[in-house]
Amino acid sequence: ETGVTQTPRHLVMGMTNKKSLKCEQHLGHNAMYWYKQSAKKPLELMFVYNFKEQTENNSVPSRFSPECPNSSHLFLHLHTLQPEDSALYLCASSQGLAGPERETDTQYFGPGTRLTVL
Amino acid sequence: AQKITQTQPGMFVQEKEAVTLDCTYDTSDQSYGLFWYKQPSSGEMIFLIYQGSYDEQNATEGRYSLNFQKARKSANLVISASQLGDSAMYFCAMRGRSGNTDKLIFGTGTRLQVFP
């Protein structure tokens, strides 16, 4: 596997279900991200992890719970979701550059998980 | 506040022609990075090209080039010799600071359709 992979690619779940999205990066990066992309809305940053530590929670509801066991893996645990949570969930990774080099810190994305909440 | 504006919701171009996708940005940072991504219908966001605010030359990557005009705060993407496979959504993004965190701030995108 190369780049950033995400599983599953498609997920349909009921509002009472519990499911998890998985992201894995094979780029040797230190930072990982979860984004939500809804129809006709800009990409929304949800969570950021840098060296396994959460550095950003962009006011995301608690029904979304991230987990980053190591720099290569990122999970998004889902429970009691709402229909408005239906969206494309994208994972990304980057080197996690800081200081003067941070502007060059390019994020590489996975193929996304298309989530439908019934 | 940091902001990216893409004013073209959709663009059409004939195969083998060049096309320019517009992007303007707003920032008070002295140093920043600008990125373009391509998103086909499959969903994956593919990194295309990067331009640093202090780079004196416009960035180029194969058929992609970035027309960077710092004084106008614009970073337009130019695709030369368009191919049918270039049909996709294109997003301009800027590495900016929001509060204490660096974020990649995206525009709303431009849908490019290449026709034969």
Side-chain angles (χ1 to χ4, degrees), chain A residues 37 56 102-104 107, chain B residues 31 37 39 50 101-103:
Chain A
Q37 188 178 31
E56 178 80 10
R102 60 184 174 83
E103 288 82 13
T104 68
Q107 292 182 23
Chain B
S31 180
Y37 286 86
Q39 188 178 39
Y50 163 81
T101 309
D102 283 324
K103 292 185 178 182

Side-chain angles (χ1 to χ4, degrees), chain A residues 6-114:
Chain A
Q6 289 186 244
T7 54
R9 294 294 309 276
H10 300 271
L11 179 63
V12 179
M13 59 187 289
M15 289 190 285
T16 58
N17 291 157
K18 289 185 180 181
K19 296 287 184 183
S20 296
L21 309 185
K22 178 183 176 182
C23 175
E24 184 173 1
Q25 59 94 2
H26 309 267
L27 300 169
H29 287 167
N30 299 308
M32 296 188 78
Y33 311 79
W34 278 118
Y35 286 88
K36 175 184 178 182
Q37 188 178 31
S38 306
K40 299 182 180 180
K41 290 179 70 174
L43 213 61
E44 299 172 59
L45 178 65
M46 299 175 73
F47 301 104
V48 180
Y49 278 82
N50 223 328
F51 293 91
K52 302 187 296 177
E53 298 297 320
Q54 188 180 120
T55 57
E56 178 80 10
N57 177 337
N58 201 22
S59 302
V60 180
S62 59
R63 58 185 183 270
F64 295 92
S65 174
E67 178 190 1
C68 187
N70 54 61
S71 293
S72 298
H73 294 86
L74 184 64
F75 296 89
L76 188 63
H77 304 299
L78 316 171
H79 65 97
T80 58
L81 294 192
Q82 305 297 312
E84 59 264 28
D85 297 322
S86 298
L88 179 68
Y89 288 85
L90 289 162
C91 172
S93 72
S94 73
Q95 290 182 275
L97 300 175
E101 294 182 322
R102 60 184 174 83
E103 288 82 13
T104 68
D105 196 35
T106 302
Q107 292 182 23
Y108 294 88
F109 286 78
T113 295
R114 198 166 293 278

Side-chain angles (χ1 to χ4, degrees), chain B residues 41-115:
Chain B
S41 56
S42 59
E44 182 175 1
M45 197 78 78
I46 302 166
F47 166 67
L48 296 178
I49 195 167
Y50 163 81
Q51 177 83 45
S53 58
Y54 286 113
D55 293 341
E56 294 186 354
Q57 291 196 334
N58 288 339
T60 60
E61 287 287 347
R63 294 186 298 111
Y64 304 108
S65 61
L66 205 152
N67 184 359
F68 180 47
Q69 298 188 42
K70 194 170 182 177
R72 294 186 177 185
K73 294 191 174 180
S74 74
N76 298 338
L77 178 70
V78 181
I79 304 175
S80 62
S82 297
Q83 301 172 356
L84 296 177
D86 293 335
S87 295
M89 283 290 290
Y90 288 81
F91 292 92
C92 180
M94 177 176 65
R95 186 86 182 180
R97 202 152 184 88
S98 177
N100 294 323
T101 309
D102 283 324
K103 292 185 178 182
L104 201 57
I105 300 159
F106 285 83
T108 51
T110 296
R111 182 172 297 281
L112 176 66
Q113 295 189 56
V114 181
F115 58 94

